[in-house]
Amino acid sequence: ALPEARWALVSLVAFLLALPLDLGGAPAWTYGPLYVVAYAAGGWEPALEGLRALREKTLDVDLLMIVAALGAASIGQVLDGALLIVIFATSGALEALATARTADSVRGLLDLAPTTATRVTGDREETVATADLAVGDVLLVRPGERIGADGTVLGGEGEVDQATITGESVPVLKRPGDDVFAGTLNGTGALRVRVERDPADSVIARIVTLVEEASRTKAPTQLFIEKIEQRYAVGVVVATLAVFGVPLAFGADLTDALLRAMTFMIVASPCAVVLATMPPLLSAIANAGRHGVLVKSAVAMERLGEIDTAALDKTGTLTEGTPEVTAVRPLPGTGLDEDALLALAAAAEHPSEHPLARAIVAAARARDLSIAPAEDFTAAPGRGVTAVVDGHEVHVGRADAPEGAETTVQVTRDGSPVGTLALTDRLRADATGITDVRADLLPEDKVEAVRELEGTGRKVLFVGDGVNDAPALAAAHAGIAMGRAGSDLALETADAVVVRDELAAVPAVVDLSRRARGLVVQNLVIAGTFITVLVLWDLIGHLPLPLGVAGHEGSTVLVGLNGLRLLRESAWRPGKRSAEAQEA
């Protein structure tokens, strides 16, 4: 839907249609119009932007590339100019697409918060827009409804799914006095909530603000590149004019002076420099994609190789994000073994849709246990479920005293305890060692933790999966989202997405990025050497135009082939630890 993408596509298609005709020796009238389309479609916008920049007394590389492309065409090197146009048009389109997708995902986050809420005034209920809510209003939140504003529970009990804010996979029991957040989902039980914060300042709204602010921040590397581009563009223009004007002033032939200046423009153009950077990074992106890691841009791939510290969210990143039964503990004297206790609990929980209930039933099925039918099933928020199983009243509910990081549920039969089950969020098999653990962090706390680490001079990679991780993903030097259960916003905000949720892919893609950056340095040395030699040859001696073009194109092909080395299967090295791991 973006104009940049449409024009770049037209330019690329026209170039690809013209290329075989040109190289195959077809008449010029067959491919000439196609080159004209490639030049016009890909070049009109950067040319217009360059002219606007000139009005503000600045000069950018895009305009220089247009001039170089036209200069190449003016001396017969139409293919070189078209390739230059296509490269820059495609790069601009990819940048515009990435920016637009991030903006769309941020706007989509606002959909998590409901547009209306039920406000209670005395005995009267009315449906109002959440934007019209004020601090002190009392809301009625029915089962299955999303909470309309940040507030405090005044009455009622219910289990609220807070995964969008805290990332925790298990619903949290809310009683009078507990805080609740806008956009979270009330599961069972009606709640009366007093609004404590203006909707415009809710946690969800603050997440949006944090992501937008971080997305607008330019990295120091980007600022440095912009300065270099400006100076390089000005230098080449001044030098080209000098190469043309100085010999002419001393009586040189006009055609010879123009030919020397055009040769200088071609050999000084940064085609090889552009290809020095892109092939290694794009090859790394393609290789990572084959192994289930989607890196969104060449800039993102480069940034991944700069990190020296990794901060990982726990739920859904280091863990699977879903609870599982880890221990079955029957009480002595009940006549029940582990299988019998688990089957009894699963029978009572079978009608329930609660995450803990699903975990218990799944554990019973994993042991091939027979699950008896349940009768008279009832569920009470925060208290568990009750059902009649084989003539016995069975109750399954959370124990008062959880054991460590476990969620413990107690099973009673006819009013007497018969055992407990322990459930935990399963750790991923490839999770690495952690040196620093920080718990109970809200989205802004995660951002603060990332900024604290970066304040010590570190370049932080943040790995997460939830909406609540999006601000930290945006604030970190680089961000990776776990794709299988990742929220849309996390996937859009991150620089890369691990599609198959393999943690070992994180150090692998970081290692691949570092080697890509090494090849970029090699290519820049090669490109810089060729440009320097050819420019000096043209200035000091007499560089024939065909030789100048050959040298220019030869360096371009050389750095391109060097960059393609990372397409090899052996370039992917999973399991190698590439950064210090720290949980934020």
Side-chain angles (χ1 to χ4, degrees), residues 401-419:
E403 301 179 15
E406 297 177 344
T407 297
T408 306
V409 298
Q410 185 178 63
V411 183
T412 64
R413 182 178 58 187
D414 296 328
S416 300
V418 293

Side-chain angles (χ1 to χ4, degrees), residues 17 27 47 49-50 72 76 81 90 125 132 139 224 233 253 266 287 307 336 366 403 410 534 553:
L17 290 175
E49 292 298 322
T90 303
E125 298 179 6
D132 296 333
L139 308 180
F224 176 75
D253 180 73
I266 291 173
N287 198 333
I307 67 101
L336 299 177
E403 301 179 15
Q410 185 178 63
L534 293 174
E553 295 302 323

Side-chain angles (χ1 to χ4, degrees), residues 163 166-170 312-323 425-428 430 446 463-466 468-469 480-487 491 498 500-503 583:
T166 65
E168 290 300 323
S169 56
V170 178
L312 298 96
D313 172 58
K314 178 180 72 67
T315 304
T317 303
L318 291 175
T319 65
E320 298 288 352
T322 56
D425 191 356
R426 181 172 55 192
L427 190 69
R428 294 183 188 273
D430 49 0
K446 294 184 180 182
V463 186
D465 69 312
N468 57 303
D469 297 325
I480 295 180
M482 308 303 286
R484 183 171 297 171
S487 69
L491 300 184
V498 180
R500 294 194 287 263
D501 281 13
E502 298 172 349
L503 271 179
E583 169 145 352

Side-chain angles (χ1 to χ4, degrees), residues 276-277 280 515-529 558-559 562-563 565:
T277 303
R515 283 183 289 129
R517 293 178 69 241
L519 286 183
V520 168
V521 173
Q522 292 180 18
N523 285 347
L524 287 174
V525 171
I526 295 172
T529 300
L558 182 60
V559 299
N562 190 40
R565 289 163 51 193

Side-chain angles (χ1 to χ4, degrees), residues 357-380:
R358 291 196 296 266
I360 292 172
V361 173
R365 287 175 174 165
R367 298 191 185 192
D368 294 325
L369 302 180
S370 176
I371 301 177
E375 301 174 350
D376 300 330
F377 173 84
T378 60

Side-chain angles (χ1 to χ4, degrees), residues 52-115:
R52 289 173 178 169
L54 282 178
R55 293 177 184 174
E56 300 176 1
K57 300 181 180 180
T58 60
L59 186 65
D60 58 26
V61 172
D62 284 357
L63 181 60
L64 181 61
M65 291 305 96
I66 299 299
V67 174
L70 294 176
S74 70
I75 56 174
Q77 305 299 323
V78 179
L79 190 154
D80 291 347
L83 178 60
L84 210 60
I85 292 288
V86 169
I87 289 174
F88 276 84
T90 303
S91 176
L94 291 176
E95 182 179 356
L97 284 169
T99 302
R101 291 181 65 187
T102 300
D104 288 343
S105 65
V106 172
R107 287 193 295 269
L109 177 59
L110 295 174
D111 294 337
L112 289 175
T115 57

